[in-house]
Amino acid sequence: MSSANSGGYSAIDIVTFIGVPLAVLGVLPILYNTVATLAALSKIKRMLRHGRLTALTRSDVVNRVIEVELPRYAVTPCDRFNETELYWRPASQRSSIPGGSWTTFNWQTRAIGAKTQRVEYADQLRQPQVEVAFDELVAYMLDLGAVPDPRGWKLLRSTGLWTPTGCSLMKSPDGYHQALAIALLDDSDGHLSLKANWSSDWTTRDFSSLPPYWIKLPSPPQPPSVKVSDAVDAVEEASTLREDPTKEGCVEEAKEKEQNGSSKESLDSISKQAVENSRASITCQISVDGLVSAMRQEDGALFSSTNLEGLYIEHLRIRSLKTDGIWFATIATAYGTTSQTMLWNYKIPDEILNFARRATIPCGVLVLLGVVDESQTPEWSSHYDPNEEARELFFKRSAEQRAAMLAEAQMQPPQRNVAVRQRMQREMNERMQDMRDRMRLENQRLEARMSEALQSPKWDTKLVAEHNLRWLRGKQERRTAVGVHVDASMALKDVVGTLLHRMIIDGQFASSICQMLDLWKAWADNGGMRRSDFEALRDGQGLFALATLLVALVRDTATAHEGTLSLDLQECLHMWKIVRLG
């Protein structure tokens, strides 16, 4: 027994020698998982701190799993007027985590949920994409100076979510770098997935530039006979007379004026404000819902919050029972859309586009209104010669008179006297009857001419507007009647800008011209112009002439962008309201 103990190992020793290493080998994977998990967790936390992200992290060292719960945000661009520095400058610290390209810019954020990820390695971590309105994102990048890629927008419009990853939608101003591109659909949940990139060196615009979705209406030209300074002086002089009771010569009137002084001062301030508004340019913001805001801006002033003053626009907001807001948004969109315009927000209703494209004005009506000469129109009326008819009637009556006088000459004196009196009475009755017949025939011909004018060939709106613009330039009393100064050098679009300016500051004028547009569209949709419609046009011919200018501009816009980049871009914005950016 002693020799066995001294010459060999016991079973316990053998178990110890073999079992302990095996036990250690069994624990090593756990120790490795623990170390690897802690190392990955440390790296993840370092990445989160670098990206300034708040997250909840949990680790399972045995299974080597790390849970990261990151918030998901909905973002909007910073306010252009109140957060100027943040709006124009990229973010100072950007996230390096995949899916965090949205941190390139400064945003107004709002938490809308959270996303939990189970990862094993740090490079598997993905930052949740943010939700952003597609039109706001594109408008923001255009405002910074990004340039749309025509090929990318055309491909996106035609293929939708199957657009290849990496397809460029917006490029840097130099055209060499991608600013907005299609991203992977991993975290998009059926939304369009995008990624952004920007450098401060790419920003080519500033706060003085007019942003997308905004239009500028220049101040209307003042008539040479009326100066704004004279109008202001007149208002000030009137207020001075009101404030000086001795000039009125009556103590009771002075007391009454003192009681009404505050109301008169307010009226004076309103009058002065109206004069200032009429000579200042106006910038308008047009959204999907029509007119959002209108700001008064002095000529030459920079486009900033300190140089803008809000105007009353409630009469031009889109409402269910009135069309004034729809007409204004439509015409303002047409006014602000040119061949260089890449983005506009308000979608002109199809019914208005179809109305603007159709020929609805009979050319004969323009002749009756005195807008065009009949020689400029195709043949539409029956011609007759009233002088020939009068000459034939004169010959007939003269022959009857000569025959009667020859018969009287052969009569005895008593019979002759009676016949002469009867002939003169008969001639008087015939003259009265001829006059009534002539008036009745003239009325019948006028009625026939009116019917023929209503059935005459219809002219295109553009042609009608050109003649009406020439008619408005014709005489000073016409320009005074419509309340809008139309200079001979003003083009159609310049006049439309003046009308939009007037519609903002004058609610009654806006209501009147929109009623004329409604009347015009109503007869165009219901089979054509009737006699009552013609009477309404004749009573408000000046407003109708201005309305044709507005519709002609809408017609030009409807046909100017077929198959262009702006149309592709607009269709994509209406197809995807909200996108994922990451």
Side-chain angles (χ1 to χ4, degrees):
M1 192 70 181
S2 60
S3 63
N5 292 334
S6 61
Y9 296 101
S10 66
I12 297 175
D13 295 335
I14 294 173
V15 170
T16 302
F17 293 153
I18 298 175
V20 170
L22 291 176
V24 172
L25 289 175
V27 173
L28 282 179
I30 298 177
L31 296 176
Y32 175 77
N33 287 344
T34 301
V35 173
T37 302
L38 293 177
L41 180 61
S42 175
K43 187 176 181 180
I44 288 174
K45 288 184 177 181
R46 187 164 58 252
M47 293 169 62
L48 293 174
R49 284 195 303 270
H50 178 75
R52 296 182 180 180
L53 301 175
T54 58
L56 296 177
T57 57
R58 294 179 291 271
S59 61
D60 184 352
V61 295
V62 175
N63 297 317
R64 198 176 175 182
V65 173
I66 302 173
E67 287 189 356
V68 182
E69 184 176 310
L70 285 166
R72 187 185 293 279
Y73 297 102
V75 299
T76 56
C78 294
D79 188 271
R80 193 181 196 270
F81 299 107
N82 300 323
E83 299 173 305
T84 305
E85 290 295 327
L86 296 177
Y87 185 90
W88 296 105
R89 185 181 59 193
S92 58
Q93 193 165 2
R94 308 177 187 182
S95 174
S96 59
I97 303 175
S101 68
W102 61 273
T103 58
T104 301
F105 304 107
N106 298 297
W107 303 94
Q108 295 177 348
T109 59
R110 175 173 56 89
I112 58 173
K115 181 184 178 182
T116 302
Q117 303 177 58
R118 298 170 61 89
V119 299
E120 185 176 353
Y121 302 102
D123 55 6
Q124 293 177 335
L125 182 65
R126 294 291 182 269
Q127 187 168 344
Q129 293 180 315
V130 295
E131 293 186 356
V132 60
F134 199 12
D135 58 342
E136 293 182 359
L137 172 63
V138 174
Y140 178 42
M141 299 197 72
L142 285 174
D143 203 11
L144 293 178
V147 179
D149 188 342
R151 178 181 172 276
W153 287 105
K154 189 176 185 62
L155 191 61
L156 177 62
R157 181 186 179 188
S158 59
T159 59
L161 294 178
W162 287 269
T163 305
T165 302
C167 177
S168 174
L169 299 180
M170 310 283 288
K171 290 188 174 182
S172 59
D174 57 14
Y176 294 113
H177 303 86
Q178 288 185 351
L180 186 67
I182 302 296
L184 294 173
L185 299 175
D186 296 342
D187 188 34
S188 61
D189 297 330
H191 293 80
L192 181 64
S193 181
L194 303 173
K195 58 182 178 181
N197 180 36
W198 195 257
S199 171
S200 58
D201 298 332
W202 298 350
T203 304
T204 57
R205 291 161 53 91
D206 55 23
F207 62 89
S208 62
S209 306
L210 193 67
Y213 302 138
W214 287 73
I215 62 171
K216 184 174 183 179
L217 305 175
S219 56
Q222 298 295 328
S225 58
V226 179
K227 296 182 180 179
V228 177
S229 58
D230 296 340
V232 174
D233 294 341
V235 172
E236 294 177 351
E237 183 180 355
S239 61
T240 304
L241 291 175
R242 295 189 187 103
E243 293 171 357
D244 191 357
T246 59
K247 294 184 180 181
E248 301 297 331
C250 181
V251 178
E252 295 180 357
E253 292 181 1
K255 292 181 179 179
E256 183 178 354
K257 289 183 178 182
E258 288 179 0
Q259 295 175 355
N260 298 332
S262 60
S263 61
K264 292 177 179 178
E265 289 177 0
S266 63
L267 289 176
D268 293 342
S269 62
I270 293 174
S271 300
K272 293 178 181 178
Q273 186 68 32
V275 172
E276 292 177 359
N277 291 342
S278 65
R279 70 173 184 174
S281 18
I282 297 176
T283 52
C284 304
Q285 182 183 8
I286 309 295
S287 74
V288 177
D289 299 321
L291 182 63
V292 174
S293 61
M295 305 288 185
R296 183 172 68 88
Q297 180 182 6
E298 294 295 336
D299 292 340
L302 295 177
F303 187 79
S304 64
S305 58
T306 56
N307 298 322
L308 298 176
E309 180 181 347
L311 297 175
Y312 179 82
I313 59 169
E314 293 302 319
H315 60 291
L316 293 177
R317 291 192 183 275
I318 295 180
R319 306 182 187 279
S320 57
L321 300 179
K322 294 190 68 178
T323 60
D324 296 12
I326 296 177
W327 282 116
F328 182 86
T330 296
I331 299 163
T333 298
Y335 177 81
T337 303
T338 65
S339 59
Q340 302 300 321
T341 303
M342 293 300 174
L343 184 65
W344 71 96
N345 209 339
Y346 182 76
K347 189 178 188 311
I348 300 177
D350 292 336
E351 56 181 7
I352 294 183
L353 288 177
N354 295 332
F355 160 68
R357 291 190 183 106
R358 295 202 312 265
T360 56
I361 305 298
C363 61
V365 171
L366 299 177
V367 175
L368 297 184
L369 293 175
V371 177
V372 299
D373 189 80
E374 190 169 354
S375 61
Q376 298 176 284
T377 64
E379 199 72 29
W380 60 271
S381 62
S382 303
H383 293 282
Y384 63 93
D385 187 1
N387 296 327
E388 181 65 24
E389 295 179 357
R391 187 163 51 252
E392 291 179 358
L393 181 61
F394 174 75
F395 290 155
K396 178 181 177 182
R397 297 305 182 197
S398 298
E400 292 175 352
Q401 184 182 35
R402 286 195 300 272
M405 293 177 67
L406 288 176
E408 291 169 1
Q410 298 175 0
M411 296 179 184
Q412 298 296 326
Q415 297 175 345
R416 185 186 303 118
N417 294 335
V418 173
V420 169
R421 287 194 299 271
Q422 292 177 350
R423 178 175 57 80
M424 295 180 65
Q425 182 66 35
R426 185 173 62 254
E427 290 176 352
M428 182 181 298
N429 293 335
E430 288 175 348
R431 283 194 295 271
M432 295 296 295
Q433 185 62 37
D434 292 342
M435 183 176 65
R436 286 192 291 267
D437 292 342
R438 188 165 54 253
M439 293 179 61
R440 183 173 61 254
L441 183 60
E442 186 66 26
N443 289 334
Q444 291 176 354
R445 286 172 174 167
L446 289 177
E447 292 291 329
R449 184 172 174 81
M450 172 65 69
S451 300
E452 291 173 343
L454 295 177
Q455 300 299 323
S456 61
K458 295 179 174 62
W459 273 4
D460 182 75
T461 306
K462 179 70 173 178
L463 181 59
V464 176
E466 291 174 356
H467 286 288
N468 272 321
L469 182 58
R470 193 178 301 113
W471 179 82
L472 287 169
R473 293 169 177 165
K475 293 184 179 180
Q476 179 63 34
E477 55 267 20
R478 295 174 187 168
R479 298 193 290 267
T480 306
V482 298
V484 176
H485 178 68
V486 181
D487 191 80
S489 61
M490 295 176 67
L492 186 145
K493 189 169 184 178
D494 299 330
V495 180
V496 172
T498 301
L499 296 180
L500 291 172
H501 191 286
R502 174 80 181 278
M503 290 173 71
I504 293 177
I505 63 177
D506 190 345
Q508 185 176 1
F509 173 77
S511 178
S512 299
I513 199 166
C514 289
Q515 288 177 3
M516 180 60 70
L517 290 168
D518 288 336
L519 175 66
W520 182 3
K521 185 176 179 298
W523 91 59
D525 294 339
N526 295 324
M529 185 187 296
R530 301 178 179 85
R531 187 179 301 273
S532 59
D533 302 323
F534 174 79
E535 297 295 335
L537 289 193
R538 187 168 56 186
D539 295 338
Q541 186 175 353
L543 284 175
F544 172 68
L546 298 177
T548 59
L549 306 183
L550 303 180
V551 177
L553 188 63
V554 176
R555 172 197 171 278
D556 290 344
T557 304
T559 57
H561 295 277
E562 296 294 337
T564 61
L565 164 64
S566 56
L567 188 60
D568 292 336
L569 195 152
Q570 195 69 19
E571 287 296 325
C572 291
L573 294 186
H574 284 286
M575 196 179 305
W576 291 283
K577 301 294 184 182
I578 302 295
V579 297
R580 292 282 177 88
L581 181 64

